Amino acid sequence: MKNLLLATALIAVSGAAFAQDVVRLGTEGAYPPFNFINDAGEVAGFEREVGDELCKRASLTCEWVTNEWDSIIPNLQSGNYDVIIAGMSITDERDEVIDFSQNYFPPASSAYVAMAADADLKGVVAAQVSTIQAGYVAESGATVLEFATPDESVAAVRNGEAVAVFADKDFLVPIVAESNGELMFVGEEVQLGGGVGLGLRESDTELKDKFNAAIQSMKDDGSLNALIEKHFGAEAAKF
Amino acid sequence: MFASCADPKSIEGLTWAMCYLTSGKHLDFYWSFLTVLLLLALTAPAALAMGFAGATAARSRLLPVSLLGKGYAAIVRGVPDIVFFLFFVIALDQGLEYLKSLAVCENPVWPWQGLEFRVCPEAKIPLGKSSAFWHQAYGFALAVFTFALVFGAFAANVLYGAMNAVPRAQLETAEAYGMSHGQVFRRILVPQMWVYALPGLSNLWMILIKATPLLFLLGVKDIVYWARELGGSKTQAYEYPHPDWRLWYFLGLLVFYLLFTKVSEIVLARISARLNHGQATAGGEALRKAAA
Amino acid sequence: MTCWETVQAYAFRSLGFGENLLPRSDFTLCQQITLIGSGMLWNIYFGVLALAFGFFLAVAVALAKSSPRALVRKPAEWFVFLFRGSPLFIQFFLAYEALQMLPKAGINILGITVETAWTTRAWAGALLVLFLNTSAYAAEIFHGALKSIPKGDLEAAEAYGITGWQKFRRIQWPTMLRLAWPAYTNEAIFLFHATTLVFFSGFPAFRQMGDALYYANYFADKTFNPFVPYPIVAVYFILLTLLVTWIFAVVNRRLNRHLPSNVKSRIRLRPQLIR
């Protein structure tokens, strides 16, 4: 049981006023390399390191929680955790109901991956259900085939169910690299969303300011770029 | 777990399999079997209690109480459990915190501001500073309650039918002996109804077992969640990269569920034989013949 | 867009007719009710067809299960055990995996190429799983009913010289149906509920054509408010359940019409008969 909830209490160095308030960070845990459950059963990945560092800089005690992607925003609204840190792209429709911090990951490219270079991108394209990519594919005129998890959408290309999968490029890069030439990028890359930011309740302006300041300080001293390079490789877009 | 597992990418063969199957994530997977069993162990009596309350209410001579009992069974049974799970838990959580806020906040305000739900920090359940264990325990308790509410509606239906199935003559005899309404209920109706309720309750137990894969909707990580998570293909970002192995994990779960069903069937058959003993029913008659 | 225009655009969206793009902003209650209702067509499609086909297989399996010959009885017992003993969730997954292993180019049978690509689509693959699943559950119900036929009825039939097919057709069949009907009603309700799992976990949604829960999920995701779309699904299902109960009650009255009115078994959920 204790491992199901992945808790890390970072010791707050200063700021006795908020030291006792635990900030709960909600993530999905199924979107490597952004966030995933590692083999020890703990939240790991890029966002784990960014989140821990941000909490340290903002002198907050943080705790990690995992939640289904589908209900990740309602559970934030309901107060089950205070921050969403789950590779969530900043979009207008999301911005209407929650607040975003400044981005800690540059606007991501989305890309198509297929088994053949001449794949018909107006054919059947797989995507994860209720992502900005699924919406994009539907609008592009292709036939969208929606899967519950990003994993299954890639599996659909492998077994010929779909001709291509459309997803975050950073998610696809390691998969393509390790497929022994079976999978490849095709077509143009597409820029969707305004980068990845932390999701917060609209009323939590104080918390948002703290995180914004922490993100800015990580951007300024280059530590954020170092983490991006560590997890996404040297070619990834940086600040 | 073992010293030789320190660098998983350099080992292979049997050692790799050993290390892989004892990774922290797999231990979580094994624990989740216990989580599911614990949930079943807690939910079954809770659902039975709900069902009993519902059935008793449905039999009440007061119209509002009887309508409440019947309405509960009819409405909750009409809705697919999955739909119920998708919004009920959040609503329940917010409702509880709202009630608590009325009691503990200094000047409680209406917490629903647009889509946002906000109560004072003291009214959070559990409190923000509580340990992860309490958050987990609270989530688990909500899951048990929700399951009990859904399956209680089915149990209410079964028990209501069973109460009606107790031969009228037995109740009349009891009344003739001068027992009050409550005495008849406690001494005759309730002890006698179990034999009629058991087949329905057995079926309900089987359905309950098979509803546990929906647990992850309620925020409890169950065996299907972990099987999906572990089986999915893993890139080099993980310590133990492997292709899509979900099929094998799910076949393992299939065996687990089949075994669990089989064991349940055997146990329930024994209970049924015991309850039928000495009853004036076809089942009881069969037992008498077998013994003679 | 007025509500009526919304209905025209989306009433058959789940089948692929009407507006191609789903609503993307300014969500109205009307849109949610229309699209989720449109999704109900899939739930009804799966439920009705699985029940209709499943009825016949269930009777066959129930008879096989009652057979004195082990060669006939054992496979039937295993079929029922396999499908009743495992969650539908897992059955969907395994079926999807298995259907994907069929060669994509089609199978060559006696020189004719049989297409296989359609089998992984929900309309066929999920229907197959639901069909087998409901057959197993209903077979168990019918088997129980066959065993509960009063011995006297069968002896009387034999005394009149009615045997074999005639005995089944005129004595066992109607009595079995009459005894099994209340439980079979429950099975039908459960089956309709089970259809919500098709797109949720089992099969991918094609061209954003999905069932009621799929669209509810879509709206919950877009509006970030689960308290509107899911209760809409719930209300639709309560109505569907009432309708199913009513239709089965009509059949039940017909099955019991020869009985004196005081022993007519009313459609009430008999305890031993829930799935």
Side-chain angles (χ1 to χ4, degrees):
Chain A
M1 286 285 286
K2 67 177 192 304
N3 279 329
L4 292 181
L5 245 206
L6 306 135
T8 357
L10 285 172
I11 297 142
V13 188
S14 61
F18 356 99
Q20 75 275 33
D21 271 352
V22 178
V23 174
R24 290 162 60 80
L25 306 177
T27 191
E28 188 196 7
Y31 203 54
F34 281 95
N35 59 73
F36 58 95
I37 311 287
N38 69 8
D39 292 283
E42 288 164 350
V43 174
F46 169 69
E47 285 174 327
R48 172 67 198 257
E49 294 198 37
V50 172
D52 284 352
E53 181 65 24
L54 290 176
C55 289
K56 204 162 97 191
R57 289 181 187 221
S59 308
L60 298 165
T61 314
C62 293
E63 195 176 81
W64 288 88
V65 193
T66 55
N67 196 85
E68 279 291 293
W69 175 255
D70 268 354
S71 60
I72 207 160
I73 290 183
N75 272 306
L76 173 80
Q77 307 272 29
S78 185
N80 290 340
Y81 36 80
D82 309 299
V83 180
I84 295 175
I85 172 163
M88 183 176 274
S89 296
I90 302 170
T91 62
D92 290 343
E93 35 182 42
R94 287 182 184 138
D95 212 7
E96 273 174 28
V97 288
I98 58 173
D99 258 8
F100 281 102
S101 69
Q102 63 165 308
N103 57 13
Y104 55 86
F105 192 81
S109 318
S110 300
Y112 290 96
V113 160
M115 301 266 274
D118 58 347
D120 175 19
L121 299 182
K122 293 277 174 276
V124 179
V125 176
Q128 187 185 4
V129 69
S130 55
T131 52
I132 48 178
Q133 282 88 7
Y136 177 84
V137 174
E139 281 174 8
S140 75
T143 305
V144 57
L145 190 63
E146 289 169 295
F147 290 86
T149 62
D151 237 18
E152 285 168 303
S153 61
V154 177
V157 178
R158 283 218 165 90
N159 60 40
E161 185 78 4
V163 293
V165 53
F166 187 62
D168 262 347
K169 187 166 182 210
D170 297 299
F171 165 74
L172 294 170
V173 165
I175 294 171
V176 171
E178 290 170 31
S179 69
N180 298 323
E182 199 188 8
L183 297 173
M184 63 195 77
F185 285 105
V186 291
E188 303 269 301
E189 286 178 15
V190 185
Q191 305 289 331
L192 294 175
V196 173
L198 301 174
L200 296 111
R201 284 183 292 270
E202 293 195 315
S203 55
D204 271 351
T205 47
E206 198 186 331
L207 192 62
K208 180 179 145 190
D209 292 341
K210 276 184 200 158
F211 275 115
N212 269 336
I215 293 171
Q216 194 56 48
S217 88
M218 281 187 80
K219 278 181 178 170
D220 291 343
D221 67 8
S223 56
L224 191 56
N225 281 343
L227 281 179
I228 292 176
E229 189 161 331
K230 176 181 167 193
H231 288 274
F232 298 93
E235 295 101 76
K238 289 190 270 283
F239 289 104
Chain B
M1 174 156 252
F2 301 109
S4 56
C5 299
D7 183 15
K9 292 194 182 164
S10 65
I11 51 179
E12 50 190 25
L14 207 59
T15 331
W16 187 90
M18 275 277 293
C19 290
Y20 174 68
L21 290 175
T22 54
S23 68
K25 213 173 182 178
H26 271 88
L27 296 184
D28 283 342
F29 177 48
Y30 306 141
W31 274 112
S32 68
F33 280 88
L34 284 185
T35 312
V36 167
L37 293 181
L38 178 68
L39 178 111
L40 285 172
L42 291 175
T43 305
L48 202 55
M50 293 271 230
F52 192 79
T56 315
R59 281 176 64 87
S60 166
R61 277 169 298 183
L62 292 171
L63 189 65
V65 179
S66 138
L67 282 182
L68 187 76
K70 285 178 181 160
Y72 160 60
I75 290 176
V76 177
R77 279 175 59 249
V79 180
D81 44 8
I82 179 170
V83 176
F84 205 74
F85 292 159
L86 280 168
F87 69 93
F88 182 74
V89 174
I90 300 181
L92 180 67
D93 180 32
Q94 294 186 351
L96 287 175
E97 288 185 355
Y98 173 62
L99 289 180
K100 193 178 171 195
S101 79
L102 292 182
V104 300
C105 293
E106 277 182 12
N107 35 7
V109 289
W110 185 245
W112 286 276
Q113 310 288 339
L115 286 178
E116 203 172 307
F117 175 82
R118 194 160 186 86
V119 288
C120 65
E122 296 84 49
K124 281 274 155 213
I125 310 178
L127 293 172
K129 56 174 179 273
S130 324
S131 70
F133 172 80
W134 287 110
H135 283 280
Q136 192 64 29
Y138 176 62
F140 190 77
L142 284 185
V144 168
F145 179 77
T146 312
F147 258 76
L149 189 73
V150 171
F151 284 89
F154 289 95
N157 211 286
V158 170
L159 292 179
Y160 184 72
M163 285 177 184
N164 284 340
V166 174
R168 192 66 215 129
Q170 295 189 6
L171 307 182
E172 278 165 4
T173 311
E175 276 161 17
Y177 273 97
M179 288 190 199
S180 71
H181 193 74
Q183 280 174 326
V184 173
F185 182 76
R186 280 193 307 276
R187 295 188 191 171
I188 312 293
L189 186 66
V190 174
Q192 285 295 93
M193 77 176 180
W194 295 111
V195 66
Y196 301 100
L198 189 74
L201 292 179
S202 314
N203 271 311
L204 210 49
W205 169 250
M206 299 291 183
I207 300 171
L208 181 62
I209 294 174
K210 273 156 252 155
T212 50
L214 296 179
L215 260 178
F216 78 96
L217 289 180
L218 305 181
V220 178
K221 299 195 169 29
D222 75 310
I223 50 182
V224 173
Y225 169 86
W226 282 114
R228 214 190 247 209
E229 170 66 36
L230 286 163
S233 62
K234 298 281 178 283
T235 63
Q236 295 293 334
Y238 294 84
E239 289 185 357
Y240 301 93
H242 62 74
D244 190 350
W245 284 352
R246 280 176 306 161
L247 185 58
W248 307 112
Y249 281 91
F250 274 82
L251 283 175
L253 290 192
L254 182 71
V255 172
F256 167 75
Y257 276 109
L258 288 178
L259 282 178
F260 198 19
T261 306
K262 193 79 206 168
V263 170
S264 300
E265 272 179 358
I266 293 170
V267 172
L268 288 167
R270 290 220 178 133
I271 299 178
S272 164
R274 171 166 294 187
L275 281 180
N276 269 310
H277 192 80
Q279 284 284 356
T281 61
E285 182 64 27
L287 281 179
R288 255 194 301 286
K289 275 188 188 150
Chain C
M1 215 186 210
T2 66
C3 190
W4 175 239
E5 281 164 359
T6 306
V7 172
Q8 283 178 322
Y10 290 116
F12 295 101
R13 176 62 182 82
S14 64
L15 305 179
F17 302 109
E19 196 71 34
N20 185 38
L21 289 178
L22 297 183
R24 312 197 57 78
S25 56
D26 306 323
F27 303 98
T28 61
L29 198 60
C30 177
Q31 283 171 342
Q32 305 204 17
I33 293 174
T34 310
L35 257 177
I36 292 173
S38 162
M40 284 302 288
L41 295 174
W42 277 107
N43 298 97
I44 293 169
Y45 161 85
F46 284 126
V48 168
L49 288 192
L51 273 180
F53 295 138
F55 179 79
F56 296 100
L57 182 62
V59 173
V61 173
L63 287 175
K65 216 184 156 199
S66 315
S67 163
R69 261 187 265 171
L71 205 65
V72 181
R73 194 179 67 239
K74 284 289 168 196
E77 281 176 357
W78 275 101
F79 172 76
V80 171
F81 178 60
L82 188 68
F83 279 93
R84 284 183 84 230
S86 59
L88 191 56
F89 218 81
I90 290 180
Q91 291 170 19
F92 272 133
F93 174 83
L94 293 178
Y96 185 66
E97 292 286 307
L99 289 171
Q100 269 178 351
M101 287 179 190
L102 297 174
K104 289 290 150 194
I107 304 171
N108 201 333
I109 300 171
L110 303 172
I112 305 158
T113 313
V114 182
E115 288 280 328
T116 56
W118 53 272
T119 54
T120 55
R121 293 271 174 261
W123 67 264
L127 182 62
L128 178 72
V129 176
L130 288 168
F131 156 65
L132 293 175
N133 188 281
T134 187
S135 299
Y137 277 98
E140 187 64 24
I141 295 169
F142 290 148
H143 175 68
L146 274 178
K147 281 204 305 191
S148 326
I149 295 176
K151 209 170 132 206
D153 287 18
L154 300 177
E155 284 168 354
E158 272 160 27
Y160 276 103
I162 305 176
T163 52
W165 169 249
Q166 278 295 314
K167 187 173 88 174
F168 174 74
R169 168 76 191 73
R170 296 173 61 179
I171 313 293
Q172 285 175 302
W173 167 256
T175 315
M176 176 194 86
L177 275 189
R178 187 167 58 79
L179 293 177
W181 206 253
Y184 192 57
T185 309
N186 275 321
E187 165 55 24
I189 294 170
F190 268 107
L191 181 71
F192 276 103
H193 288 185
T195 58
T196 51
L197 273 177
V198 170
F199 293 102
F200 194 77
S201 70
F203 285 74
F206 186 66
R207 264 190 207 131
Q208 300 190 309
M209 304 185 314
D211 76 330
L213 189 61
Y214 171 84
Y215 289 117
N217 216 353
Y218 177 85
F219 282 114
D221 179 66
K222 293 287 176 225
T223 61
F224 310 103
N225 183 2
F227 298 119
V228 176
Y230 294 130
I232 292 177
V233 182
V235 170
Y236 271 122
F237 265 95
I238 290 175
L239 294 178
L240 182 64
T241 306
L242 288 176
L243 181 70
V244 171
T245 316
W246 179 76
I247 293 173
F248 274 73
V250 170
V251 177
N252 190 51
R253 268 202 297 281
R254 190 173 157 78
L255 288 172
N256 287 291
R257 69 193 184 283
H258 61 288
L259 293 176
S261 62
N262 59 338
V263 290
K264 257 183 200 169
S265 79
R266 300 225 326 275
I267 214 134
R268 95 181 126 81
L269 300 167
R270 296 268 301 279
Q272 63 270 47
L273 303 164
I274 283 195
R275 157 170 159 183

